[in-house]
Amino acid sequence: MNPDALRGAVDLSSLVRAAQQPPAQQASAGAAGPAPATGTGTSAVVRDVGDAEFGEVVELSRSVPVIVEFYAAGIAPALPGIVSSYGGRLVLATVDGNSSPQVAQAFQVQQVPAVVALVGGRPVNLFVGMPAEAEVRQVLDQVLELAAQNGVTGTVSADTPEEGEEEPAEQPLPPLHQEAFDAISRGDLEAAATAYRTAIAQSPADGDAVAGLAQVSLLQRLEGREASEIRDAAAAAPDDLDAQLAVADLDLSGGHVEDAFARLLTLFPGLDADGKAVVRTRLLDYFEIVGAEDERTITARRAFTNLLY
């Protein structure tokens, strides 16, 4: 990496302005609240953030390089342990792409996991998917070199437990969930899907496995495809169900949840029985990915029910 990598980056000023607004203004601007933590916790080195807090992360990157990892339901963050091992020379901000659409859109995130760096308030794309740990560390070392070239050499103090106080032990994942997580980390989506299917077969009420399988299936459908190709195909063939489903997948993976729901709900009434069955299945997958308690899911589910009766 070299300093030129910071040129032509996307403009994050709107996120900074949003973070500086009073709480009432943030709410009126439609900013989402903090994304729910998914096993990352919050510390000086690793923090889970959403739209409302992301401006603070941009500002922090002016003194210490920040790694931003986008995740979603069923795809837990993979970098907390690795970034923590750098002793405060790097900070990790984990972002739920579905719950933080403004941040996801600013970085043009099309699928998760996706990882970028912020150096001096400017973004640098790192990778989509999760490479092996050795490759991740090589990239993070390059980020530190780039940060040094741009005068961003600060550190944060890694949180340590008080004297005599033990850190709470992290709860291990169930074996099949861990198997799926490890497969996702090495980019083997088929193995992850198999692990989740096995977990569901053993325990049909395992909601986390159902959501994980839905998320992995979405990533499989988008794997190797270009966003521009998907959108061009959908625009050229508005009556092509497969093309519309693909662009809905793209919208959901990039955090445009309402757009994905609206596209499928608009398609549904004009389809034949087979097409309606396909869209129904896809919508149910989306509800699992976004979460049953999410207001966007509740609204879309209500609209879908109205279409059925």
Side-chain angles (χ1 to χ4, degrees), residues 32-239:
T38 308
T40 61
T42 298
S43 69
V45 173
V46 179
R47 57 193 69 189
D48 198 79
V49 300
D51 287 342
E53 307 93 347
F54 200 81
E56 299 170 13
V57 173
V58 177
E59 291 303 313
L60 176 63
S61 75
R62 303 186 192 283
S63 57
V64 57
V66 177
I67 307 301
V68 183
E69 180 179 6
F70 290 89
Y71 69 96
I75 308 291
L79 296 182
I82 297 175
V83 172
S84 295
S85 71
Y86 280 78
R89 293 185 296 151
L90 293 169
V91 169
L92 176 66
T94 57
V95 180
D96 183 332
N98 287 331
S99 298
S100 306
Q102 293 179 22
V103 179
Q105 183 175 11
F107 286 97
Q108 300 175 10
V109 172
Q110 297 172 4
Q111 65 183 75
V112 296
V115 180
V116 300
L118 283 172
V119 178
R122 305 294 297 277
V124 182
N125 292 327
L126 298 185
F127 41 82
V128 176
M130 196 56 61
E133 180 173 340
E135 184 178 346
V136 170
R137 289 187 178 278
Q138 183 179 20
V139 171
L140 297 185
D141 290 343
Q142 293 175 348
V143 170
L144 286 170
E145 292 176 8
L146 177 63
Q149 293 169 15
N150 286 272
V152 181
T153 57
T155 61
V156 299
S157 298
D159 292 348
T160 56
E162 298 291 335
E163 186 175 350
E165 178 184 345
E166 293 185 1
E167 282 193 55
E170 184 175 340
Q171 294 298 315
L173 291 171
L176 286 168
H177 288 249
Q178 185 65 56
E179 183 179 328
F181 176 80
D182 293 341
I184 292 167
S185 297
R186 64 176 184 268
D188 190 345
L189 297 178
E190 185 55 42
T194 298
Y196 280 132
R197 289 191 187 100
T198 304
I200 294 167
Q202 293 180 1
S203 178
D206 187 341
D208 289 339
V210 172
L213 178 59
Q215 179 70 49
V216 169
S217 297
L218 183 148
L219 295 177
Q220 287 180 303
R221 292 193 297 268
L222 292 174
E223 191 172 24
R225 300 193 62 181
E226 294 289 337
S228 58
E229 165 211 330
I230 292 173
R231 294 201 182 279
D232 288 347
D239 296 325

Side-chain angles (χ1 to χ4, degrees), residues 72-74 96 98-99 207-208 210-215 218 221 248-249 252 257-265 268 276 278-308:
D96 183 332
N98 287 331
S99 298
D208 289 339
V210 172
L213 178 59
Q215 179 70 49
L218 183 148
R221 292 193 297 268
D249 280 348
L252 192 76
V257 176
E258 293 94 339
D259 291 343
F261 283 155
R263 184 177 295 272
L264 296 191
L265 291 169
F268 186 82
K276 286 181 176 179
V278 171
V279 170
R280 177 182 180 278
T281 299
R282 188 65 55 88
L283 274 170
L284 294 178
D285 281 351
Y286 286 3
F287 294 160
E288 292 290 346
I289 292 170
V290 179
E293 302 304 317
D294 190 288
E295 186 61 38
R296 294 166 296 184
T297 296
I298 294 170
T299 300
R301 191 184 292 275
R302 185 181 303 120
F304 185 51
T305 301
N306 290 337
L307 292 176
L308 292 174

